[in-house]
Amino acid sequence: MDLKNLLEILPDIVLYIASGYLFIFIFCFISLRKKLNDIQGGFIISLVVGFILKTVVCAVIPVRFGFYVNTVGFLVICAFLGGVAGYTVESSWFRKILTKLRISRSVHENIWHDIIDVEGNTMWIRAVSREKEQVIIGILVLAEEFQRYPLLVLQQYRVYDLEGKLIEDYIQNANHQIIIKSEYYDTIDVVYDEESSHYKNIEVGGVDDV
């Protein structure tokens, strides 16, 4: 391929890479995934995704305007599709589909992103640390991303010792928050609101039924 032919297809290649990267960036941001750090791999993936998007969009929307209008419009569509894909993966009905298909694996890199109620319902956390000799009960607000043992942000919390004696009480103070390191706690119990999609009524049989 000579230089003239390369210059002719260069705008298309740049558009493929830009649109593919925009789609992937927004998808990763919404679905809580790490961004592409590998430059070479990210370049190739963006190019492939951009080519697929351009082919599909041109087939679905055959109307053409001026070059700049087409380019800007295409990038906006790619950003929109990236957002739709991200919200779809994060939705509760997508998890239900995986469950019905008997696919018992997480779509996230961090198990805490599966635990968190994406619908915004209240989640209570009970964290027990025998090393610190304390129990913390509070509402989970945030969980650190991309960490095996993430930092957890709690509000409206109480701190007890292992004997059940109350040490700190901020249950009525929604403006007070505490950050805890999950790796320092032996067990962390999660209690969902009854309106949560995670909530399930489980009938537990007696010992004789086991």
Side-chain angles (χ1 to χ4, degrees):
M1 179 181 293
D2 56 25
L3 182 59
K4 182 180 179 181
N5 292 333
L6 179 61
L7 292 176
E8 289 178 353
I9 65 172
L10 185 60
D12 289 332
I13 294 177
V14 172
L15 182 59
Y16 293 153
I17 296 173
S19 58
Y21 182 82
L22 181 61
F23 175 91
I24 295 171
F25 176 82
I26 294 179
F27 171 77
C28 291
F29 180 79
I30 293 177
S31 61
L32 303 174
R33 282 167 171 74
K34 291 183 179 179
K35 294 182 293 184
L36 298 174
N37 295 322
D38 180 17
I39 297 178
Q40 183 176 358
F43 178 87
I44 296 175
I45 293 174
S46 298
L47 181 62
V48 173
V49 172
F51 175 78
I52 295 173
L53 289 171
K54 183 70 180 298
T55 302
V56 173
V57 171
C58 288
V60 175
I61 309 176
V63 181
R64 300 291 181 269
F65 300 97
F67 173 77
Y68 295 105
V69 175
N70 288 341
T71 301
V72 173
F74 176 60
L75 292 175
V76 171
I77 291 174
C78 290
F80 173 76
L81 292 176
V84 170
Y87 280 116
T88 299
V89 171
E90 284 295 299
S91 64
S92 58
W93 62 265
F94 183 77
R95 297 179 184 178
K96 292 178 181 178
I97 292 176
L98 293 180
T99 301
K100 290 183 179 180
L101 293 176
R102 299 186 182 278
I103 301 177
S104 57
R105 59 169 297 176
S106 172
V107 297
H108 299 108
E109 298 177 8
N110 188 332
I111 191 65
W112 276 96
H113 295 146
D114 289 292
I115 295 174
I116 291 176
D117 189 328
V118 296
E119 298 170 349
N121 295 301
T122 302
M123 287 179 55
W124 287 89
I125 293 292
R126 179 180 181 273
V128 180
S129 174
R130 301 194 182 282
E131 179 181 353
K132 294 178 175 294
E133 297 185 345
Q134 69 176 18
V135 178
I136 297 180
I137 300 176
I139 297 176
L140 180 65
V141 179
L142 291 172
E144 185 181 15
E145 297 179 1
F146 313 129
Q147 299 296 324
R148 183 176 182 182
Y149 299 105
L151 297 175
L152 304 177
V153 180
L154 306 180
Q155 71 178 26
Q156 292 177 259
Y157 66 92
R158 284 175 175 166
V159 180
Y160 300 86
D161 63 18
L162 295 181
E163 301 299 325
K165 179 182 179 181
L166 183 63
I167 301 175
E168 298 180 36
D169 187 356
Y170 294 98
I171 197 71
Q172 301 297 332
N173 189 349
N175 296 323
H176 197 100
Q177 297 181 335
I178 187 173
I179 300 175
I180 65 174
K181 294 183 177 181
S182 58
E183 63 179 311
Y184 294 152
Y185 290 82
D186 303 295
T187 60
I188 299 179
D189 300 326
V190 179
V191 180
Y192 294 104
D193 187 275
E194 291 187 5
E195 299 299 323
S196 171
S197 59
H198 290 272
Y199 180 81
K200 293 181 180 179
N201 288 318
I202 303 176
E203 182 178 355
V204 181
V207 177
D208 296 335
D209 299 329
V210 177

